[in-house]
Amino acid sequence: MGKSYWMIAESPENFEITKSLGFTLYGAGPKHRRRAERMQPDDRMLYYVKGLRKWTATATVTSRSFEERTDIWAPNRRRDVFPYRVKTAPDIVLDEEDYIDALLLAPRLEYIKRWVPEDWPLAFWDRLHLLPQTDFRLIEGEMRRIVSKK
């Protein structure tokens, strides 16, 4: 099976926790168990922060999925501990002032074409999305451009 491209849509709180872990771990809840189990080493991940509507980082999956129930993300907020996990390694992590505003790129994505333009944020409502490679490369290309300017 070929490489898959995932978008992780996180709350600001969970994104900060993932960032504090150095983008070395991702966890999915029961709703996305099958998707998490489908993740393989060398799959790519793109982080989107819902409350900000911005893309912030990319990472590469480094392990097969495993189950672990240590409460890491949003502790004490919900019962869901996101037990279906993969290890990851960061690729590009933008500085906060460089986060990419989704309003600038989202209209060009294949992934959101089934939503009417004014409702595109609904495309990113869930936590875990399988993206077309072209969409992933478009956003990551913009990230690389920003990083290379620094």
Side-chain angles (χ1 to χ4, degrees):
M1 185 168 170
K3 187 186 299 189
S4 295
Y5 299 86
W6 303 94
M7 184 175 71
I8 313 306
E10 288 285 20
S11 69
E13 300 83 14
N14 282 343
F15 173 73
E16 288 301 323
I17 292 167
T18 299
K19 185 178 175 181
S20 73
L21 295 171
F23 297 96
T24 58
L25 189 65
Y26 169 72
K31 178 179 177 181
H32 298 300
R33 181 180 132 214
R34 290 194 188 269
R35 289 183 194 172
E37 288 172 346
R38 183 177 165 191
M39 291 179 175
Q40 298 291 317
D42 296 324
D43 280 3
R44 302 295 311 288
M45 302 176 109
L46 172 67
Y47 287 88
Y48 172 83
V49 181
K50 290 186 205 182
L52 303 176
R53 290 189 179 168
K54 294 186 178 192
W55 287 291
T56 59
T58 62
T60 299
V61 176
T62 61
S63 74
R64 295 193 179 275
S65 68
F66 59 94
E67 187 172 342
E68 205 231 305
R69 296 193 174 269
T70 304
D71 193 3
I72 297 172
W73 293 276
N76 304 320
R77 194 171 122 198
R78 285 197 262 158
R79 303 182 73 124
D80 194 355
V81 296
F82 306 121
Y84 306 102
R85 301 179 180 178
V86 291
K87 293 181 181 181
T88 61
D91 294 312
I92 300 172
V93 179
L94 296 176
D95 293 332
E96 191 170 344
E97 65 272 7
D98 295 326
Y99 291 172
I100 298 171
D101 188 336
L103 287 170
L104 302 175
L105 290 181
R108 296 170 50 193
L109 302 179
E110 285 296 316
Y111 184 74
I112 67 164
K113 295 229 187 258
R114 63 182 178 195
W115 282 270
V116 293
E118 58 272 12
D119 288 341
W120 72 261
L122 295 176
F124 303 156
W125 186 255
D126 246 349
R127 276 191 86 233
L128 181 57
H129 308 266
L130 189 56
L131 288 181
Q133 179 180 356
T134 54
D135 289 353
F136 186 95
R137 297 252 188 250
L138 174 71
I139 298 163
E140 188 177 51
E142 184 62 18
M143 288 180 169
R144 288 187 193 287
R145 187 186 66 73
I146 290 167
V147 169
S148 71
K149 282 185 170 182
K150 290 197 163 199

